[in-house]
Amino acid sequence: MAPSRCIRVHERDNVAIVVDPEGARSGAEFSGGLTAREHIPQSHKIAISTIERGSPVLRYGQIIGRANRAIPAGSWVREEMLDLPAAPALEQLALATNVPAPLPPLEGRTFQGFRNADGSVGTKNILGITTTVQCVAPTVDYAVRRLKTEVLPRYPNVDDIVAITHTYGCGIAIEAPGAAIPIRTLKHISLHPNVAGQPLVVSLGCEKLQPQRLFANALPVLEDSNLIRLQDQRGFAETVAALMRAAERQLEFLNRRERRMCPASELVVGLQCGGSDAFSGVTCNPAVGYAADLLVRAGATVLFSEVTEVRDAVHLLTPRAVNERVALDLIREMRWYDDYLAKGQADRSANPTPGNKRGGLANVVEKALGSIAKAGSTALMAVAGHGERVTAKGLVFAATPASDFICGTQQLASMNLHIFTTGEGSPYGLALVPVVKVSSRTALAEKWPDLIDIDAGRVATGDCTLEEAGREIFEFVLDVASGRKKTWADHWGLHNALAPFNPGPVT
Ligand code: CA
């Protein structure tokens, strides 16, 4: 009988991840003489050597917890056997002490994008109808349904019409410090490169988030012909007719746009994980990390995010910051979030989900160490606050919560393409940008062949290398950004609602 298989990431590790889809049965033998003492499910941890009580449990060469009992070799190492270590102290981190040397540039890589007047580049050609308040969302949705069936077919170069709706805009303490975050997020999403930076704007009239406040220093977008105030209109039917007339003018403009060759450096790719398992950190996340390095080498911007999944690995990132300023910016974002969680009487241990744990992740430390593999190996060039638009090139930390739909919404302030890794599976997608989904396990890709775009589980089974999976992701990104290939989320029209992060009070 062939030996059971497990993956050890780092030579210091005293646990490994069981690979076989049916898990390791009790008595199963691994190469090297290790024997399972009990049934261990796939993607869960086996002790490679005996771990004494109080000793560190090591994965990725890092401490993911301390054993609160003796764990004999061959045991299933479960969540309750580990005590969560303290998060790295923010006062004692090494700043820019180990800055990676630049990798050789990748010249000549291009994609077919839509060049905008402001220099940004779109990966889709969308009519965006933005809103200042949730009150107007059903009216806009009604008009968009009619526009898509009655009008859009006459404009074949336009990919879609998207209502940029959300739950923000009124009933909020708009002068509170926290309000700046959702407001700038919505501003940057409204001016997204994929809507040519020129949305229609629908306001109710009496809301707190007045159009002038939303667009602040980007007021030219508020020409009279682009702005409709519902309280200035007569009746529903006439309101919808006015909206459709304005939309048609914009469609005529958008329909004249064409894809042109653009350097890959115009890509702003947002990375995030959702429904992670213990494989995520050895398959899909490092494969995406390899693709991230290729994108950085091609001059592009790569965003990684999710503060609570970076917090416990921050000591591995501050040395990679390109200078002390950037390292301190990263620490600033970690501290802001520590304070935010403390106000809610929570801490980062609130992060892992039941699905993460079912997938073999013991705690947030193990999750974070796997999560940051997405960030590849290049220097950290800049840090952006929640909802800020990123202008730097290279690897950038853009602060967001880890919640999938909130992180995706926040990254939309900057990104024109999204890569989403998943172990447990999520049909997640966004209307404004293509979302490329990468699975951590082949079993998920086989169960969801019409939802998962790329199967990185082949890395665990030895069917491809991390580098091969990373190159495949990179090439797929260029194809999708060019409109040559479609993600499954776009094929089915799976588009999650926008959920701007609002840390401020609701009145
Ligand atoms: Ca997430």
Side-chain angles (χ1 to χ4, degrees), residues 366-403:
E366 186 178 13
K367 189 173 174 179
L369 292 167
S371 175
I372 65 158
K374 297 195 297 299
S377 65
T378 59
L380 178 65
M381 301 305 290
V383 172
H386 296 269
E388 286 176 350
R389 180 165 282 187
V390 171
T391 53
K393 299 287 186 186
L395 181 69
V396 177
F397 180 75
T400 75
S403 156

PDB file of all heavy atoms in Angstrom, residues 366-403:
ATOM      1  N   GLU A 366      -1.897  30.720  12.734  1.00  0.00           N
ATOM      2  CA  GLU A 366      -1.695  29.808  11.609  1.00  0.00           C
ATOM      3  C   GLU A 366      -2.337  30.374  10.334  1.00  0.00           C
ATOM      4  O   GLU A 366      -1.775  30.301   9.247  1.00  0.00           O
ATOM      5  CB  GLU A 366      -2.290  28.434  11.936  1.00  0.00           C
ATOM      6  CG  GLU A 366      -1.981  27.398  10.869  1.00  0.00           C
ATOM      7  CD  GLU A 366      -2.536  26.014  11.200  1.00  0.00           C
ATOM      8  OE1 GLU A 366      -3.353  25.899  12.124  1.00  0.00           O
ATOM      9  OE2 GLU A 366      -2.143  25.059  10.497  1.00  0.00           O
ATOM     10  N   LYS A 367      -3.514  30.996  10.500  1.00  0.00           N
ATOM     11  CA  LYS A 367      -4.211  31.586   9.352  1.00  0.00           C
ATOM     12  C   LYS A 367      -3.380  32.731   8.753  1.00  0.00           C
ATOM     13  O   LYS A 367      -3.234  32.849   7.536  1.00  0.00           O
ATOM     14  CB  LYS A 367      -5.591  32.079   9.801  1.00  0.00           C
ATOM     15  CG  LYS A 367      -6.501  32.513   8.668  1.00  0.00           C
ATOM     16  CD  LYS A 367      -7.914  32.817   9.193  1.00  0.00           C
ATOM     17  CE  LYS A 367      -8.778  33.387   8.076  1.00  0.00           C
ATOM     18  NZ  LYS A 367     -10.158  33.676   8.508  1.00  0.00           N
ATOM     19  N   ALA A 368      -2.833  33.580   9.622  1.00  0.00           N
ATOM     20  CA  ALA A 368      -2.065  34.741   9.155  1.00  0.00           C
ATOM     21  C   ALA A 368      -0.792  34.311   8.426  1.00  0.00           C
ATOM     22  O   ALA A 368      -0.444  34.861   7.379  1.00  0.00           O
ATOM     23  CB  ALA A 368      -1.716  35.651  10.330  1.00  0.00           C
ATOM     24  N   LEU A 369      -0.108  33.296   8.973  1.00  0.00           N
ATOM     25  CA  LEU A 369       1.145  32.858   8.341  1.00  0.00           C
ATOM     26  C   LEU A 369       0.875  32.328   6.937  1.00  0.00           C
ATOM     27  O   LEU A 369       1.678  32.517   6.023  1.00  0.00           O
ATOM     28  CB  LEU A 369       1.827  31.801   9.203  1.00  0.00           C
ATOM     29  CG  LEU A 369       2.368  32.321  10.543  1.00  0.00           C
ATOM     30  CD1 LEU A 369       2.728  31.172  11.463  1.00  0.00           C
ATOM     31  CD2 LEU A 369       3.571  33.239  10.324  1.00  0.00           C
ATOM     32  N   GLY A 370      -0.281  31.667   6.762  1.00  0.00           N
ATOM     33  CA  GLY A 370      -0.653  31.194   5.429  1.00  0.00           C
ATOM     34  C   GLY A 370      -1.140  32.326   4.544  1.00  0.00           C
ATOM     35  O   GLY A 370      -0.893  32.348   3.340  1.00  0.00           O
ATOM     36  N   SER A 371      -1.813  33.293   5.159  1.00  0.00           N
ATOM     37  CA  SER A 371      -2.409  34.393   4.394  1.00  0.00           C
ATOM     38  C   SER A 371      -1.347  35.265   3.735  1.00  0.00           C
ATOM     39  O   SER A 371      -1.476  35.663   2.574  1.00  0.00           O
ATOM     40  CB  SER A 371      -3.287  35.229   5.327  1.00  0.00           C
ATOM     41  OG  SER A 371      -3.780  36.354   4.661  1.00  0.00           O
ATOM     42  N   ILE A 372      -0.269  35.567   4.481  1.00  0.00           N
ATOM     43  CA  ILE A 372       0.703  36.515   3.918  1.00  0.00           C
ATOM     44  C   ILE A 372       1.550  35.896   2.803  1.00  0.00           C
ATOM     45  O   ILE A 372       2.278  36.615   2.125  1.00  0.00           O
ATOM     46  CB  ILE A 372       1.636  37.138   4.988  1.00  0.00           C
ATOM     47  CG1 ILE A 372       2.520  36.073   5.620  1.00  0.00           C
ATOM     48  CG2 ILE A 372       0.852  37.932   6.002  1.00  0.00           C
ATOM     49  CD1 ILE A 372       3.773  36.659   6.236  1.00  0.00           C
ATOM     50  N   ALA A 373       1.411  34.575   2.601  1.00  0.00           N
ATOM     51  CA  ALA A 373       2.112  33.967   1.457  1.00  0.00           C
ATOM     52  C   ALA A 373       1.654  34.600   0.144  1.00  0.00           C
ATOM     53  O   ALA A 373       2.392  34.600  -0.844  1.00  0.00           O
ATOM     54  CB  ALA A 373       1.875  32.459   1.430  1.00  0.00           C
ATOM     55  N   LYS A 374       0.436  35.162   0.126  1.00  0.00           N
ATOM     56  CA  LYS A 374      -0.064  35.835  -1.079  1.00  0.00           C
ATOM     57  C   LYS A 374       0.812  37.017  -1.469  1.00  0.00           C
ATOM     58  O   LYS A 374       0.830  37.437  -2.619  1.00  0.00           O
ATOM     59  CB  LYS A 374      -1.496  36.371  -0.854  1.00  0.00           C
ATOM     60  CG  LYS A 374      -2.534  35.314  -0.575  1.00  0.00           C
ATOM     61  CD  LYS A 374      -3.947  35.865  -0.719  1.00  0.00           C
ATOM     62  CE  LYS A 374      -4.346  36.965   0.242  1.00  0.00           C
ATOM     63  NZ  LYS A 374      -4.324  36.625   1.656  1.00  0.00           N
ATOM     64  N   ALA A 375       1.494  37.589  -0.479  1.00  0.00           N
ATOM     65  CA  ALA A 375       2.264  38.814  -0.720  1.00  0.00           C
ATOM     66  C   ALA A 375       3.602  38.544  -1.400  1.00  0.00           C
ATOM     67  O   ALA A 375       4.368  39.481  -1.629  1.00  0.00           O
ATOM     68  CB  ALA A 375       2.476  39.563   0.592  1.00  0.00           C
ATOM     69  N   GLY A 376       3.886  37.286  -1.722  1.00  0.00           N
ATOM     70  CA  GLY A 376       5.098  36.983  -2.480  1.00  0.00           C
ATOM     71  C   GLY A 376       6.345  37.328  -1.699  1.00  0.00           C
ATOM     72  O   GLY A 376       6.371  37.248  -0.460  1.00  0.00           O
ATOM     73  N   SER A 377       7.394  37.760  -2.421  1.00  0.00           N
ATOM     74  CA  SER A 377       8.697  37.910  -1.771  1.00  0.00           C
ATOM     75  C   SER A 377       9.331  39.272  -1.990  1.00  0.00           C
ATOM     76  O   SER A 377      10.467  39.485  -1.601  1.00  0.00           O
ATOM     77  CB  SER A 377       9.644  36.830  -2.317  1.00  0.00           C
ATOM     78  OG  SER A 377       9.881  37.054  -3.693  1.00  0.00           O
ATOM     79  N   THR A 378       8.613  40.211  -2.604  1.00  0.00           N
ATOM     80  CA  THR A 378       9.243  41.489  -2.940  1.00  0.00           C
ATOM     81  C   THR A 378       9.127  42.483  -1.776  1.00  0.00           C
ATOM     82  O   THR A 378       8.427  42.241  -0.799  1.00  0.00           O
ATOM     83  CB  THR A 378       8.618  42.117  -4.209  1.00  0.00           C
ATOM     84  OG1 THR A 378       7.224  42.303  -3.978  1.00  0.00           O
ATOM     85  CG2 THR A 378       8.818  41.220  -5.411  1.00  0.00           C
ATOM     86  N   ALA A 379       9.813  43.607  -1.916  1.00  0.00           N
ATOM     87  CA  ALA A 379       9.791  44.637  -0.871  1.00  0.00           C
ATOM     88  C   ALA A 379       8.396  45.264  -0.772  1.00  0.00           C
ATOM     89  O   ALA A 379       7.697  45.417  -1.771  1.00  0.00           O
ATOM     90  CB  ALA A 379      10.820  45.717  -1.188  1.00  0.00           C
ATOM     91  N   LEU A 380       8.015  45.636   0.447  1.00  0.00           N
ATOM     92  CA  LEU A 380       6.767  46.366   0.666  1.00  0.00           C
ATOM     93  C   LEU A 380       7.022  47.841   0.345  1.00  0.00           C
ATOM     94  O   LEU A 380       7.802  48.502   1.027  1.00  0.00           O
ATOM     95  CB  LEU A 380       6.318  46.186   2.125  1.00  0.00           C
ATOM     96  CG  LEU A 380       5.048  46.921   2.526  1.00  0.00           C
ATOM     97  CD1 LEU A 380       3.842  46.388   1.773  1.00  0.00           C
ATOM     98  CD2 LEU A 380       4.823  46.810   4.042  1.00  0.00           C
ATOM     99  N   MET A 381       6.362  48.341  -0.698  1.00  0.00           N
ATOM    100  CA  MET A 381       6.696  49.672  -1.217  1.00  0.00           C
ATOM    101  C   MET A 381       5.868  50.800  -0.607  1.00  0.00           C
ATOM    102  O   MET A 381       6.280  51.955  -0.623  1.00  0.00           O
ATOM    103  CB  MET A 381       6.505  49.706  -2.743  1.00  0.00           C
ATOM    104  CG  MET A 381       7.352  48.690  -3.501  1.00  0.00           C
ATOM    105  SD  MET A 381       9.120  48.809  -3.132  1.00  0.00           S
ATOM    106  CE  MET A 381       9.496  50.371  -3.939  1.00  0.00           C
ATOM    107  N   ALA A 382       4.656  50.480  -0.130  1.00  0.00           N
ATOM    108  CA  ALA A 382       3.785  51.539   0.408  1.00  0.00           C
ATOM    109  C   ALA A 382       2.685  50.910   1.241  1.00  0.00           C
ATOM    110  O   ALA A 382       2.423  49.709   1.141  1.00  0.00           O
ATOM    111  CB  ALA A 382       3.178  52.369  -0.727  1.00  0.00           C
ATOM    112  N   VAL A 383       2.036  51.749   2.055  1.00  0.00           N
ATOM    113  CA  VAL A 383       0.894  51.327   2.875  1.00  0.00           C
ATOM    114  C   VAL A 383      -0.213  52.357   2.676  1.00  0.00           C
ATOM    115  O   VAL A 383       0.053  53.568   2.702  1.00  0.00           O
ATOM    116  CB  VAL A 383       1.289  51.250   4.363  1.00  0.00           C
ATOM    117  CG1 VAL A 383       0.070  51.016   5.248  1.00  0.00           C
ATOM    118  CG2 VAL A 383       2.330  50.148   4.586  1.00  0.00           C
ATOM    119  N   ALA A 384      -1.441  51.879   2.432  1.00  0.00           N
ATOM    120  CA  ALA A 384      -2.578  52.779   2.270  1.00  0.00           C
ATOM    121  C   ALA A 384      -3.570  52.541   3.397  1.00  0.00           C
ATOM    122  O   ALA A 384      -3.782  51.399   3.817  1.00  0.00           O
ATOM    123  CB  ALA A 384      -3.258  52.539   0.918  1.00  0.00           C
ATOM    124  N   GLY A 385      -4.190  53.616   3.869  1.00  0.00           N
ATOM    125  CA  GLY A 385      -5.239  53.498   4.878  1.00  0.00           C
ATOM    126  C   GLY A 385      -6.526  52.966   4.250  1.00  0.00           C
ATOM    127  O   GLY A 385      -6.651  52.877   3.022  1.00  0.00           O
ATOM    128  N   HIS A 386      -7.515  52.632   5.095  1.00  0.00           N
ATOM    129  CA  HIS A 386      -8.788  52.071   4.621  1.00  0.00           C
ATOM    130  C   HIS A 386      -9.439  52.980   3.568  1.00  0.00           C
ATOM    131  O   HIS A 386      -9.728  54.149   3.849  1.00  0.00           O
ATOM    132  CB  HIS A 386      -9.756  51.912   5.791  1.00  0.00           C
ATOM    133  CG  HIS A 386      -9.277  50.929   6.820  1.00  0.00           C
ATOM    134  ND1 HIS A 386      -9.601  49.592   6.764  1.00  0.00           N
ATOM    135  CD2 HIS A 386      -8.503  51.078   7.910  1.00  0.00           C
ATOM    136  CE1 HIS A 386      -9.045  48.965   7.785  1.00  0.00           C
ATOM    137  NE2 HIS A 386      -8.375  49.844   8.504  1.00  0.00           N
ATOM    138  N   GLY A 387      -9.677  52.476   2.376  1.00  0.00           N
ATOM    139  CA  GLY A 387     -10.428  53.198   1.359  1.00  0.00           C
ATOM    140  C   GLY A 387      -9.636  54.240   0.592  1.00  0.00           C
ATOM    141  O   GLY A 387     -10.189  54.922  -0.271  1.00  0.00           O
ATOM    142  N   GLU A 388      -8.334  54.379   0.889  1.00  0.00           N
ATOM    143  CA  GLU A 388      -7.516  55.320   0.109  1.00  0.00           C
ATOM    144  C   GLU A 388      -7.188  54.715  -1.253  1.00  0.00           C
ATOM    145  O   GLU A 388      -7.059  53.499  -1.384  1.00  0.00           O
ATOM    146  CB  GLU A 388      -6.206  55.634   0.852  1.00  0.00           C
ATOM    147  CG  GLU A 388      -6.424  56.556   2.033  1.00  0.00           C
ATOM    148  CD  GLU A 388      -5.160  56.820   2.844  1.00  0.00           C
ATOM    149  OE1 GLU A 388      -4.132  56.153   2.609  1.00  0.00           O
ATOM    150  OE2 GLU A 388      -5.230  57.676   3.727  1.00  0.00           O
ATOM    151  N   ARG A 389      -7.047  55.579  -2.269  1.00  0.00           N
ATOM    152  CA  ARG A 389      -6.647  55.067  -3.580  1.00  0.00           C
ATOM    153  C   ARG A 389      -5.132  54.955  -3.639  1.00  0.00           C
ATOM    154  O   ARG A 389      -4.420  55.923  -3.375  1.00  0.00           O
ATOM    155  CB  ARG A 389      -7.164  55.941  -4.718  1.00  0.00           C
ATOM    156  CG  ARG A 389      -6.719  55.378  -6.076  1.00  0.00           C
ATOM    157  CD  ARG A 389      -7.455  55.961  -7.251  1.00  0.00           C
ATOM    158  NE  ARG A 389      -8.780  55.368  -7.397  1.00  0.00           N
ATOM    159  CZ  ARG A 389      -9.582  55.607  -8.439  1.00  0.00           C
ATOM    160  NH1 ARG A 389      -9.196  56.429  -9.387  1.00  0.00           N
ATOM    161  NH2 ARG A 389     -10.771  55.054  -8.511  1.00  0.00           N
ATOM    162  N   VAL A 390      -4.664  53.764  -3.998  1.00  0.00           N
ATOM    163  CA  VAL A 390      -3.224  53.493  -4.047  1.00  0.00           C
ATOM    164  C   VAL A 390      -2.660  54.012  -5.364  1.00  0.00           C
ATOM    165  O   VAL A 390      -3.215  53.744  -6.434  1.00  0.00           O
ATOM    166  CB  VAL A 390      -2.972  51.969  -3.934  1.00  0.00           C
ATOM    167  CG1 VAL A 390      -1.514  51.630  -4.196  1.00  0.00           C
ATOM    168  CG2 VAL A 390      -3.423  51.471  -2.568  1.00  0.00           C
ATOM    169  N   THR A 391      -1.548  54.746  -5.288  1.00  0.00           N
ATOM    170  CA  THR A 391      -0.905  55.227  -6.507  1.00  0.00           C
ATOM    171  C   THR A 391       0.496  54.631  -6.682  1.00  0.00           C
ATOM    172  O   THR A 391       1.074  54.733  -7.753  1.00  0.00           O
ATOM    173  CB  THR A 391      -0.781  56.763  -6.488  1.00  0.00           C
ATOM    174  OG1 THR A 391      -0.141  57.145  -5.267  1.00  0.00           O
ATOM    175  CG2 THR A 391      -2.144  57.423  -6.568  1.00  0.00           C
ATOM    176  N   ALA A 392       1.036  54.001  -5.636  1.00  0.00           N
ATOM    177  CA  ALA A 392       2.392  53.434  -5.726  1.00  0.00           C
ATOM    178  C   ALA A 392       2.387  52.192  -6.614  1.00  0.00           C
ATOM    179  O   ALA A 392       1.360  51.547  -6.813  1.00  0.00           O
ATOM    180  CB  ALA A 392       2.876  53.059  -4.325  1.00  0.00           C
ATOM    181  N   LYS A 393       3.554  51.867  -7.140  1.00  0.00           N
ATOM    182  CA  LYS A 393       3.741  50.612  -7.881  1.00  0.00           C
ATOM    183  C   LYS A 393       4.409  49.600  -6.966  1.00  0.00           C
ATOM    184  O   LYS A 393       5.030  49.957  -5.958  1.00  0.00           O
ATOM    185  CB  LYS A 393       4.621  50.842  -9.112  1.00  0.00           C
ATOM    186  CG  LYS A 393       4.038  51.828 -10.115  1.00  0.00           C
ATOM    187  CD  LYS A 393       2.875  51.226 -10.858  1.00  0.00           C
ATOM    188  CE  LYS A 393       2.385  52.164 -11.966  1.00  0.00           C
ATOM    189  NZ  LYS A 393       1.168  51.646 -12.612  1.00  0.00           N
ATOM    190  N   GLY A 394       4.315  48.327  -7.354  1.00  0.00           N
ATOM    191  CA  GLY A 394       4.926  47.266  -6.561  1.00  0.00           C
ATOM    192  C   GLY A 394       3.966  46.741  -5.509  1.00  0.00           C
ATOM    193  O   GLY A 394       2.741  46.955  -5.593  1.00  0.00           O
ATOM    194  N   LEU A 395       4.522  46.080  -4.507  1.00  0.00           N
ATOM    195  CA  LEU A 395       3.698  45.462  -3.452  1.00  0.00           C
ATOM    196  C   LEU A 395       3.273  46.511  -2.436  1.00  0.00           C
ATOM    197  O   LEU A 395       4.107  47.233  -1.890  1.00  0.00           O
ATOM    198  CB  LEU A 395       4.507  44.360  -2.767  1.00  0.00           C
ATOM    199  CG  LEU A 395       3.789  43.598  -1.660  1.00  0.00           C
ATOM    200  CD1 LEU A 395       2.669  42.733  -2.227  1.00  0.00           C
ATOM    201  CD2 LEU A 395       4.769  42.747  -0.862  1.00  0.00           C
ATOM    202  N   VAL A 396       1.954  46.588  -2.188  1.00  0.00           N
ATOM    203  CA  VAL A 396       1.396  47.606  -1.294  1.00  0.00           C
ATOM    204  C   VAL A 396       0.457  46.924  -0.299  1.00  0.00           C
ATOM    205  O   VAL A 396      -0.335  46.068  -0.684  1.00  0.00           O
ATOM    206  CB  VAL A 396       0.608  48.662  -2.109  1.00  0.00           C
ATOM    207  CG1 VAL A 396      -0.051  49.679  -1.178  1.00  0.00           C
ATOM    208  CG2 VAL A 396       1.515  49.375  -3.108  1.00  0.00           C
ATOM    209  N   PHE A 397       0.548  47.303   0.974  1.00  0.00           N
ATOM    210  CA  PHE A 397      -0.466  46.873   1.936  1.00  0.00           C
ATOM    211  C   PHE A 397      -1.570  47.918   1.964  1.00  0.00           C
ATOM    212  O   PHE A 397      -1.327  49.083   2.292  1.00  0.00           O
ATOM    213  CB  PHE A 397       0.112  46.695   3.345  1.00  0.00           C
ATOM    214  CG  PHE A 397      -0.936  46.247   4.330  1.00  0.00           C
ATOM    215  CD1 PHE A 397      -1.394  44.938   4.323  1.00  0.00           C
ATOM    216  CD2 PHE A 397      -1.500  47.138   5.231  1.00  0.00           C
ATOM    217  CE1 PHE A 397      -2.395  44.516   5.198  1.00  0.00           C
ATOM    218  CE2 PHE A 397      -2.501  46.734   6.108  1.00  0.00           C
ATOM    219  CZ  PHE A 397      -2.945  45.417   6.093  1.00  0.00           C
ATOM    220  N   ALA A 398      -2.790  47.515   1.580  1.00  0.00           N
ATOM    221  CA  ALA A 398      -3.952  48.398   1.625  1.00  0.00           C
ATOM    222  C   ALA A 398      -4.839  47.906   2.758  1.00  0.00           C
ATOM    223  O   ALA A 398      -5.420  46.829   2.676  1.00  0.00           O
ATOM    224  CB  ALA A 398      -4.713  48.359   0.296  1.00  0.00           C
ATOM    225  N   ALA A 399      -4.925  48.681   3.834  1.00  0.00           N
ATOM    226  CA  ALA A 399      -5.644  48.226   5.026  1.00  0.00           C
ATOM    227  C   ALA A 399      -7.117  47.996   4.716  1.00  0.00           C
ATOM    228  O   ALA A 399      -7.775  48.850   4.108  1.00  0.00           O
ATOM    229  CB  ALA A 399      -5.494  49.256   6.146  1.00  0.00           C
ATOM    230  N   THR A 400      -7.624  46.839   5.120  1.00  0.00           N
ATOM    231  CA  THR A 400      -9.060  46.524   5.070  1.00  0.00           C
ATOM    232  C   THR A 400      -9.353  45.535   6.186  1.00  0.00           C
ATOM    233  O   THR A 400      -8.444  44.861   6.655  1.00  0.00           O
ATOM    234  CB  THR A 400      -9.484  45.838   3.749  1.00  0.00           C
ATOM    235  OG1 THR A 400      -9.037  44.462   3.777  1.00  0.00           O
ATOM    236  CG2 THR A 400      -8.939  46.516   2.510  1.00  0.00           C
ATOM    237  N   PRO A 401     -10.612  45.407   6.577  1.00  0.00           N
ATOM    238  CA  PRO A 401     -10.978  44.248   7.390  1.00  0.00           C
ATOM    239  C   PRO A 401     -10.780  42.967   6.566  1.00  0.00           C
ATOM    240  O   PRO A 401     -10.629  43.028   5.344  1.00  0.00           O
ATOM    241  CB  PRO A 401     -12.458  44.470   7.694  1.00  0.00           C
ATOM    242  CG  PRO A 401     -12.700  45.927   7.444  1.00  0.00           C
ATOM    243  CD  PRO A 401     -11.754  46.298   6.339  1.00  0.00           C
ATOM    244  N   ALA A 402     -10.838  41.805   7.247  1.00  0.00           N
ATOM    245  CA  ALA A 402     -10.656  40.538   6.531  1.00  0.00           C
ATOM    246  C   ALA A 402     -11.957  40.037   5.913  1.00  0.00           C
ATOM    247  O   ALA A 402     -11.924  39.218   4.989  1.00  0.00           O
ATOM    248  CB  ALA A 402     -10.087  39.482   7.481  1.00  0.00           C
ATOM    249  N   SER A 403     -13.097  40.497   6.410  1.00  0.00           N
ATOM    250  CA  SER A 403     -14.404  40.101   5.874  1.00  0.00           C
ATOM    251  C   SER A 403     -14.386  40.188   4.352  1.00  0.00           C
ATOM    252  O   SER A 403     -14.061  41.238   3.788  1.00  0.00           O
ATOM    253  CB  SER A 403     -15.466  41.052   6.441  1.00  0.00           C
ATOM    254  OG  SER A 403     -16.588  41.088   5.584  1.00  0.00           O
TER     255      SER A 403
END
